[in-house]
Amino acid sequence: MRLSTEPLDLPLASPFRIARSVQTHGRNVLLRLRADEHGDEYEGWGEAAPTAYYGESRETVEAALARFADVLSDDPFQHEDIMAEVGRLLGKNGAAKAALDMALYDLAGKRLGAPLYRLLGLNPARAPATSFTLGIDAPAEMARKAAAARDYPILKIKVGTPHDVEIVKAIREVTGATLRVDANAAWTAKQAIATINALAPYDIEFVEQPVAAGDLDGLRLVREHVSIPVIADESCVTLDDIARVAGRADGINIKLMKCGGVSHALKMIHAARAHNLSIMLGCMAAESSIAITAAAHLTPLVDYADLDGPLLLASDPYVGVRYEHGKLLLPDGPGLGVHSRQARSGADAPPIGK
Ligand code: MG
């Protein structure tokens, strides 16, 4: 197999603010993986959405993928061996691994003529609705955006400000949508307990990552003192974290860019079920339809989806998973089932099946 990368710049529709940072665009990486069989050439696509918080950048992804090129066999169906070798070669680099992992699935699916959800034995009708995320802003502005997002039945509200209760109250006044809240590790355990209990009257489905990633005792304390379920995101990155989080949170948020791809996410899903944890599949703020569609193929296995990446972009160069009132509609094409938007007009047609 031959591996090549190119920069994938993804401007966001508007600056996206969370408790610790604000983002205006994604400096992502597109991965192309090519293989020949019986004279036909097949091409699999992957995407890395690196974030500084998890120690990655476009440059670290490109360097990591250049090293992966040396360990690739010619057989994309040796998925477990390839990813195990990649794991031995490098530690963290979740986004770089995720790009390779989804490209392997895309390639294998195209060679078999089957969409990824079929390779995984999943029923696309079980894909849930995604939430639509509102970044931090003034309470009135967040309420205006919540009202404008009426096509989405689930809203995720970013908090971690001095006026979190005011934000949620303002949003609840303009919408009957299911509301989720994400503090992105901004609160102390004491602040979290007080704030979450103050949010209870506004009918919140769950609260994500109330305390610092490493504060597992705080996480447990919060869970024991609030009535709203608690989901661990920053505290749960890879498979190794599941047993540590179990008993301290009600559920976990799996992201391909944190854990290293679909194959690792599958292992996390089964481990989480064994620990009675509920499961959300989430994404980074700037991910195109390549990475989001890869994650969407797994959603028939999970309880909650937060896969709104393409909805937050100024424009998405790719077409894959679609949204119908928030419900994820998985594409039927082979592999990830993603094609480039301009291919619709015939130019630069992507390889379909080969
Ligand atoms: Mg989160």
Side-chain angles (χ1 to χ4, degrees):
M1 288 184 284
R2 299 175 302 284
L3 179 158
S4 64
T5 61
E6 50 200 86
L8 177 60
D9 289 310
L10 297 175
L12 294 172
S14 58
F16 186 78
R17 184 178 296 278
I18 67 170
R20 63 174 165 264
S21 59
V22 60
Q23 188 174 357
T24 57
H25 65 285
R27 294 182 74 243
N28 292 6
V29 177
L30 171 69
L31 167 63
R32 295 177 191 269
L33 203 53
R34 295 186 185 86
D36 300 312
E37 188 178 70
H38 308 307
D40 290 327
E41 184 179 70
Y42 296 81
E43 182 173 296
W45 289 354
E47 175 184 359
T51 53
Y53 180 79
Y54 290 107
E56 293 187 276
S57 64
R58 174 179 285 168
E59 289 70 28
T60 67
V61 166
E62 288 170 343
L65 290 174
R67 292 192 69 189
F68 295 172
D70 298 334
V71 302
L72 286 176
S73 68
D74 263 342
D75 183 358
F77 295 95
Q78 293 298 318
H79 198 119
E80 287 291 328
D81 277 7
I82 292 169
M83 294 311 294
E85 185 61 24
V86 164
R88 273 190 290 275
L89 199 64
L90 294 162
K92 296 172 181 173
N93 295 94
K97 289 178 189 172
L100 177 64
D101 180 88
M102 74 182 78
L104 286 169
Y105 279 119
D106 194 32
L107 194 54
K110 284 170 175 168
R111 278 176 59 168
L112 295 173
L116 178 53
Y117 69 78
R118 286 196 61 149
L119 299 186
L120 300 173
L122 303 178
N123 177 359
R126 294 192 190 281
T130 180
S131 50
F132 177 79
T133 308
L134 303 172
I136 290 175
D137 208 326
E141 180 60 14
M142 290 178 75
R144 189 191 66 74
K145 287 179 180 167
R150 67 182 69 81
D151 198 39
Y152 296 94
I154 309 169
L155 298 177
K156 175 158 138 176
I157 307 168
K158 292 291 192 180
V159 294
T161 75
H163 38 260
D164 292 335
V165 179
E166 197 186 333
I167 285 171
V168 174
K169 179 173 184 284
I171 290 171
R172 181 45 92 207
E173 281 171 0
V174 299
T175 180
T178 296
L179 297 182
R180 302 169 178 171
V181 167
D182 187 356
N184 285 108
W187 298 323
T188 64
K190 193 174 165 188
Q191 286 170 332
I193 291 166
T195 308
I196 294 169
N197 285 328
L199 294 180
Y202 303 107
D203 193 14
I204 305 301
E205 186 180 33
F206 57 73
V207 175
E208 216 178 302
Q209 196 64 40
V211 297
D215 186 9
L216 296 183
D217 290 338
L219 193 62
R220 181 202 294 269
L221 195 67
V222 172
R223 186 184 181 221
E224 287 171 352
H225 288 87
V226 302
S227 56
I228 300 172
V230 175
I231 305 280
D233 179 356
E234 285 88 339
S235 294
C236 188
V237 178
T238 64
L239 186 60
D240 293 347
D241 296 313
I242 300 231
R244 281 193 281 274
V245 164
R248 297 178 160 106
D250 297 283
I252 60 167
N253 185 357
I254 299 174
K255 296 179 183 171
L256 301 189
M257 299 302 153
K258 291 193 296 184
C259 76
V262 169
S263 58
H264 192 97
L266 271 170
K267 295 175 173 75
M268 291 181 76
I269 288 169
H270 297 306
R273 290 292 180 217
H275 286 283
N276 285 315
L277 290 161
S278 62
I279 302 163
M280 167 162 51
L281 253 172
C283 64
M284 300 304 177
E287 294 188 21
S288 83
S289 282
I290 296 179
I292 294 296
T293 304
H297 280 283
L298 269 178
T299 58
L301 282 174
V302 306
D303 307 299
Y304 314 110
D306 177 32
L307 294 176
D308 58 353
L311 306 173
L312 305 177
L313 298 178
S315 68
D316 184 353
Y318 300 99
V319 178
V321 66
R322 289 179 299 117
Y323 304 87
E324 191 174 80
H325 305 300
K327 183 173 166 60
L328 298 166
L329 303 177
L330 304 186
D332 287 332
L336 299 181
V338 173
H339 58 84
S340 76
R341 193 169 294 276
Q342 70 187 86
R344 278 275 159 98
S345 59
D348 188 27
I352 301 295
K354 60 179 167 184

